């Protein structure tokens, strides 16, 4: 067995901390021994399905202890995990199923109905007994009790996570077992995580930031306290009741948590257990930092910046958060970062250029997307004007991030913009093309439409849809149709009608989004 796989972490934790709580969720809990037993039962069942090696298995469900068992069960086999956020609509799930040829889906009773809408001929497993010939975890835990062993290579592909790209369709990024171990190791190091930490499991487990909470827990033999947010006070109760010490969040979570009357928040003394707060997936505002400092007075706040193509690039040390809140920080351990111009030269101080990520935590590449891989994964030769490539050693791969940044006099990085027109909202990347495609396909009364973003401090970017038609269509009618086909975070917050849309002078087939944005913001 490789030392660089999640299965090894789980086996070692079971040996050394058998009776310690690994997972807690409301009134439920599992020790490391109990977690190991259930993971083995699920892994055994999956292997007996007889699927080809490296088959993709999706997990499409709400958060629960069973969901974590499912994720770890898949990672204890030679199959590949494909986490599917519960926010996706059936047609989006169907696209991902077809894109990476998912052979099996693990789900819950609620999402089982959504899967039934899809033409899926693979295996379906439900957490709860659901009838209709669908096997369940309840049955697996009852009947699958034989010993289970496995041998997993750290170089093997472990996970494919999906986010929306320029073409409007999700692009899967392939992550190896070694990537998962490395990311748990480096985060545990610079956050100074400890064995007695209780890590909040607030984040959804569809992307690497959320999944990393599970793996850091295993790496440090800590405890993961799962939480499904509904109201702000629910989150505060979770932190208090579960005695949480580490809280990973996204900026949208901070906006939601503190979007109420400050007088209604629990006393700050009740949060003395909290020692660490992390934020990634968007820009942190001064208000967010202030709210955290006032409520979690003993906590260190880490602001972090990651890439789709690599686990993480930078973090801002807590000592600098209030001094330079707009900075994305400096490179994390084992990473070198460069800012280069179009000629491949290193940018001067405060000169904007593309961020190049060299070193650790680079993922394997995009699934079935050679053009996107060519765009983002480059030979280290692009740094030849900056680093010493003596001996013509150019086989090393670096990431050309598409993020445009600059560096100040003290070496801190600042994010400026993205090379493409992707929208970043509520911690998600959204392609305008995806929304425009749904409009063209499902609302024929609309002649032309343009989707873009305007700044919104609470959610980073606000999605705007501007359309032209022979007559005005009610906003409610448009949103009702969009909600049938798009995840909730992709729904525009502003819908604007115009008799005609401005066009780009050099291309009369292209709507001038810059002009529309100026009209809305000036």
């Amino acid at each position: 067995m490789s030392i660089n796989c999640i299965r090894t972490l789980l086996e070692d934790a079971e040996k050394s901390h058998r009776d310690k709580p690994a997972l807690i969720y409301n009134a439920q809990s599992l020790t490391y021994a109990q977690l190991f037993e259930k993971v083995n039962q699920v892994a055994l069942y999956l292997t007996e399905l007889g699927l080809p090696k490296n088959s993709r298995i999706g997990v499409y469900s709400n958060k629960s202890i069973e969901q974590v068992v499912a994720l770890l069960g898949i990672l204890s086999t030679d199959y590949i995990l494909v986490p599917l956020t519960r926010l996706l609509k059936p047609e989006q799930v169907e696209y991902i199923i077809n894109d990476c040829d998912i052979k099996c889906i693990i789900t819950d009773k609620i999402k089982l109905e959504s899967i039934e809408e899809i033409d899926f001929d693979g295996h379906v497993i439900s957490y709860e007994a659901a009838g209709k010939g669908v096997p369940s975890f309840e049955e697996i835990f009852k009947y699958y009790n034989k010993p289970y062993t496995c041998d997993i290579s750290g170089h093997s592909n472990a996970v494919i996570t999906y986010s929306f790209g320029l073409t409007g369709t999700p692009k899967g990024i392939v992550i190896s077992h070694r990537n998962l171990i490395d990311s748990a190791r480096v985060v545990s190091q610079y956050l100074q995580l400890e064995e007695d930490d209780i890590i909040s499991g607030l984040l959804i487990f569809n992307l690497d930031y959320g999944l990393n909470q599970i793996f850091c827990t295993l790496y440090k033999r800590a405890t993961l306290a799962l939480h499904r947010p509904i109201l702000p006070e629910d989150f505060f109760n979770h932190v208090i009741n579960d005695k949480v010490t580490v809280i990973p969040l996204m900026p949208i979570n901070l906006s939601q948590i503190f979007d109420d009357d400050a007088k209604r928040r629990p006393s700050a003394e009740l949060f003395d257990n909290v020692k660490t707060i992390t934020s990634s997936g968007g820009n942190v505002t001064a208000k967010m930092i202030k709210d955290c400092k006032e409520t979690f007075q003993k906590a260190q706040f880490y602001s972090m910046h990651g890439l789709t193509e690599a686990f993480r690039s930078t973090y801002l040390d807590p000592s600098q958060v209030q001094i330079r809140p707009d900075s994305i920080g400096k490179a994390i351990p084992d990473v070198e970062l460069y800012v280069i111009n179009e000629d491949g030269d290193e940018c001067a101080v405060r000169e904007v250029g593309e961020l190049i990520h060299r070193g650790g935590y680079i993922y394997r590449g995009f699934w079935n997307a050679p053009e996107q891989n060519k765009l983002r994964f480059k030979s280290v030769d692009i740094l030849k004007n900056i680093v010493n490539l003596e001996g013509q050693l150019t086989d090393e791969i670096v990431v050309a991030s598409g993020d445009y940044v600059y560096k100040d006099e003290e070496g801190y990085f600042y994010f400026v913009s993205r090379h493409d027109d992707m929208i970043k909202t509520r911690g998600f990347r959204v392609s305008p093309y995806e929304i425009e495609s749904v409009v063209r396909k499902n609302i024929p009364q609309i002649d032309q439409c343009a989707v873009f973003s305007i700044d919104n401090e609470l959610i980073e970017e606000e999605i705007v849809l501007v359309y032209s038609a022979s007559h005005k269509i009610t906003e409610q009618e448009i949103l009702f149709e969009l909600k049938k086909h798009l995840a909730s975070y992709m729904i525009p917050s502003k819908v604007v009608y115009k008799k005609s849309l401005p066009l780009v002078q050099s291309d009369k087939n292209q709507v001038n989004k810059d002009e529309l944005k100026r009209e809305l913001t000036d």
Side-chain angles (χ1 to χ4, degrees), residues 254-282:
L254 290 167
S255 297
Q256 293 167 342
I257 289 164
F258 294 111
D259 186 22
D260 66 348
D261 186 351
K263 295 178 181 178
R264 296 174 55 193
R265 296 175 201 161
S267 171
E269 288 77 14
L270 295 173
F271 301 110
D272 283 350
N273 283 334
V274 180
K275 70 172 193 178
T276 304
I277 299 173
T278 69
S279 178
S280 186

Side-chain angles (χ1 to χ4, degrees), residues 290-506:
K290 178 176 178 290
D291 285 334
C292 281
K293 290 291 183 183
E294 290 178 350
T295 304
F296 306 106
Q297 296 180 351
K298 295 188 177 181
Q300 301 280 350
F301 189 98
Y302 290 80
S303 178
M304 305 181 296
H305 181 75
L307 307 176
T308 300
E309 302 83 3
F311 172 68
R312 189 156 296 150
S313 290
T314 68
Y315 79 94
L316 184 62
D317 188 87
S319 65
Q320 300 296 314
V321 167
Q322 290 180 295
I323 296 173
R324 53 186 97 239
D326 296 333
S327 172
I328 60 174
K330 294 184 177 182
I332 68 173
D334 298 335
V335 168
E336 296 175 14
L337 297 178
Y338 300 90
V339 186
I340 66 171
N341 59 26
E342 292 181 353
D343 297 323
D345 295 323
E346 188 165 20
C347 290
V349 169
R350 298 191 179 274
E351 178 187 356
V352 174
E354 185 175 13
L355 180 72
I356 308 297
H357 176 118
R358 182 191 188 196
Y361 325 117
I362 295 175
Y363 292 150
R364 303 297 288 270
F366 290 98
W367 182 267
N368 282 340
E371 291 302 316
Q372 196 154 358
N373 284 328
K374 186 178 179 181
L375 179 67
R376 292 288 175 241
F377 295 92
K378 303 283 190 178
S379 163
V380 72
D381 191 57
I382 67 169
L383 295 174
K384 64 185 177 183
N385 296 350
I386 305 170
V387 302
N388 184 357
L389 298 179
E390 188 177 9
Q392 301 298 309
L393 302 178
T394 59
D395 285 347
E396 180 187 350
I397 297 298
V398 300
V399 173
S401 68
D403 286 347
Y404 279 74
V405 304
Y406 68 86
K407 190 162 58 171
D408 70 12
E409 292 79 0
E410 297 179 64
Y412 287 90
F413 292 90
Y414 294 79
F415 178 81
V416 177
S417 66
R418 284 180 293 280
H419 179 65
D420 52 48
D421 65 348
M422 292 287 286
I423 297 171
K424 191 72 171 292
T425 182
R426 304 178 190 276
F428 294 92
R429 293 187 186 277
V430 175
S431 168
Y433 183 88
E434 170 79 353
I435 303 171
E436 292 167 354
S437 298
V438 169
V439 171
R440 283 194 294 269
K441 183 178 179 181
N442 298 284
I443 313 179
Q445 309 96 297
I446 290 180
D447 298 325
Q448 283 185 305
C449 74
V451 174
F452 52 91
S453 67
I454 57 177
D455 291 341
N456 183 316
E457 185 177 84
L458 295 178
I459 59 174
E460 192 167 9
E461 292 179 336
E462 185 175 357
I463 302 174
V464 178
L465 166 66
V466 182
Y467 72 95
S468 63
S470 59
H471 64 277
K472 186 174 182 179
I473 309 167
T474 66
E475 180 174 331
Q476 291 81 1
E477 184 178 350
I478 292 173
L479 295 181
F480 179 81
E481 188 62 35
L482 294 182
K483 287 174 182 177
K484 293 180 184 178
H485 307 282
L486 297 171
S488 58
Y489 60 83
M490 301 174 72
I491 303 301
S493 57
K494 287 183 185 296
V495 177
V496 178
Y497 168 69
K498 292 177 70 69
K499 287 187 177 180
S500 62
L501 302 186
L503 303 177
V504 175
Q505 287 297 318
S506 59

Side-chain angles (χ1 to χ4, degrees), residues 122-140:
H123 298 273
V124 177
I125 305 168
S126 174
Y127 301 145
E128 311 93 344
K132 304 178 184 179
V134 176
S136 69
F137 274 25
E138 292 179 16
E139 295 167 306
I140 292 171

